[in-house]
């Protein structure tokens, strides 16, 4: 299995430290956060991992250079998450099975989210799976929100009817949010290749996934751990706490 870790973002919510250190390289105990994500991907069965960085993030490359099965791609313009993932198109060329995508600033404490999703996908014939979490209703406007197909909720998993990027609470189809982990059919790259800019003028991964829904089944899985967003100082402090107690 192949895994992509997008880590090319600017980190403006974590200035000024991100002028010196990419947020993905901040320590969680003795390891950079990104190494915990590489470990998660490997334990879930990924033997080839491509990290997408921007030219200012050479520190990431230097740290992982020589690590087995780790390669790098560059995103040279900040055009959004979908665009970052697209930079790994060559890496996934000819891949038949689903590809893992793990956001470089999202840590999950309490479970291996990627491994959970791989198990869910295998049980459903290799279908695409989005890792999810429940969020407070009033905060739906910060997330990609999933609409389950009626009657398909089975434990923590469900079939996805559609997804909406950052809906207002009164328009949100549920309180189930996309949470930093994806296991996607490589067909998504066909959609990413001609995806136009969406919310925020960025090429959104969720827009390409929504288009792919017309031809491929997609499942949501609320993983049992807690997602920690280390993209800002407050989330980072919470992550330190969560991993200290893990
Ligand atoms: P964020 O939404 O946190 O964006 O990206 P950001 O640019 O990193 O951070 P701020 O908003 O400036 O503080 C979520 C994930 O997607 C990656 C980021 O590296 C992060 O892992 N990303 C985002 C890219 O790789 N490229 C992009 O153009 C945008």
């Amino acid at each position: 299995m192949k895994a992509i870790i997008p880590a090319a973002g600017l980190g403006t919510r974590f200035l000024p430290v991100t002028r010196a250190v990419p947020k993905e390289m901040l320590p969680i105990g003795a390891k950079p956060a990104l190494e915990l994500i590489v470990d998660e991907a490997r334990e879930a069965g990924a033997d080839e991992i491509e990290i997408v960085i921007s030219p200012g993030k050479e520190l990431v490359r230097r740290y992982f250079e020589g690590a087995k099965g780790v390669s790098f791609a560059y995103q040279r313009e900040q055009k959004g998450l979908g665009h970052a993932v697209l930079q790994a198109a060559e890496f996934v060329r000819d891949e038949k099975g689903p590809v893992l995508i793990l956001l470089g600033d999202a840590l999950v404490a309490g479970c291996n989210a990627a491994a959970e999703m791989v198990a869910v996908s295998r049980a459903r014939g290799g279908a695409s799976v989005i890792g999810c979490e429940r969020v407070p209703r009033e905060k739906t406007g910060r997330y990609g929100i999933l609409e389950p197909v009626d009657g398909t909720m089975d434990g923590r998993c469900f079939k996805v009817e559609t997804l909406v990027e950052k809906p207002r609470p009164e328009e949100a189809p549920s309180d189930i949010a996309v949470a930093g982990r994806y296991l996607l059919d490589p067909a998504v790259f066909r959609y990413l290749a001609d995806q136009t800019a969406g919310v925020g003028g960025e090429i959104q991964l969720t827009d390409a996934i929504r288009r792919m829904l017309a031809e491929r089944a997609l499942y949501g899985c609320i993983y049992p751990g807690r997602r920690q967003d280390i993209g800002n100082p407050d989330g980072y402090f919470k992550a330190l706490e969560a991993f200290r107690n893990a």
Side-chain angles (χ1 to χ4, degrees), residues 6-13 23-24 75 78-81 84 104-105:
L10 291 175
T12 47
R13 288 171 298 145
K23 59 184 172 180
E24 297 85 357
Q75 184 192 26
Q78 299 294 311
K79 290 192 187 169
L81 175 60
D105 64 356

Side-chain angles (χ1 to χ4, degrees), residues 37-200:
I37 299 176
V38 168
D39 291 349
E40 177 186 338
R42 283 202 177 113
E43 282 163 23
D47 49 1
E48 290 178 65
I49 299 169
E50 183 140 293
I51 304 175
V52 183
I53 55 174
S54 46
K57 289 183 151 179
E58 292 302 326
L59 188 66
V60 175
R61 186 172 196 143
R62 283 204 299 279
Y63 185 83
F64 287 98
E65 206 122 60
K68 198 164 171 285
V70 177
S71 60
F72 299 88
Y74 283 88
Q75 184 192 26
R76 295 182 191 280
E77 291 169 285
Q78 299 294 311
K79 290 192 187 169
L81 175 60
H83 181 256
V85 172
L86 185 59
Q87 307 315 304
E90 197 49 38
F91 170 69
V92 298
R93 200 162 56 99
D94 299 331
E95 188 69 9
K96 300 283 181 288
V99 176
L100 257 178
I101 299 172
L102 308 93
L103 297 198
D105 64 356
L107 293 174
V108 181
C111 77
N112 183 318
E116 300 268 339
M117 293 159 59
V118 168
V120 169
S121 173
R122 290 217 171 110
R124 288 162 177 78
S128 300
V129 178
I130 293 193
C132 312
E133 64 181 348
R134 288 196 188 270
V135 297
R137 269 274 170 186
E138 65 276 14
K139 292 188 180 159
T140 57
R142 297 189 195 171
Y143 302 93
I145 299 290
L146 296 163
E147 177 176 350
V149 174
D150 271 348
T152 59
M153 189 61 88
D154 172 15
R156 290 180 285 101
C157 298
F158 56 92
K159 200 163 180 222
V160 176
E161 178 77 49
T162 192
L163 4 50
V164 201
E165 192 61 43
K166 302 185 170 60
R168 291 203 303 260
E170 59 277 21
E171 285 159 4
S174 76
D175 63 349
I176 303 171
V178 176
R181 298 288 183 271
Y182 310 78
L183 183 61
L184 298 178
D185 190 293
V188 75
F189 280 86
R190 276 196 277 116
Y191 293 96
L192 278 175
D194 62 5
Q195 185 61 52
T196 51
V199 173

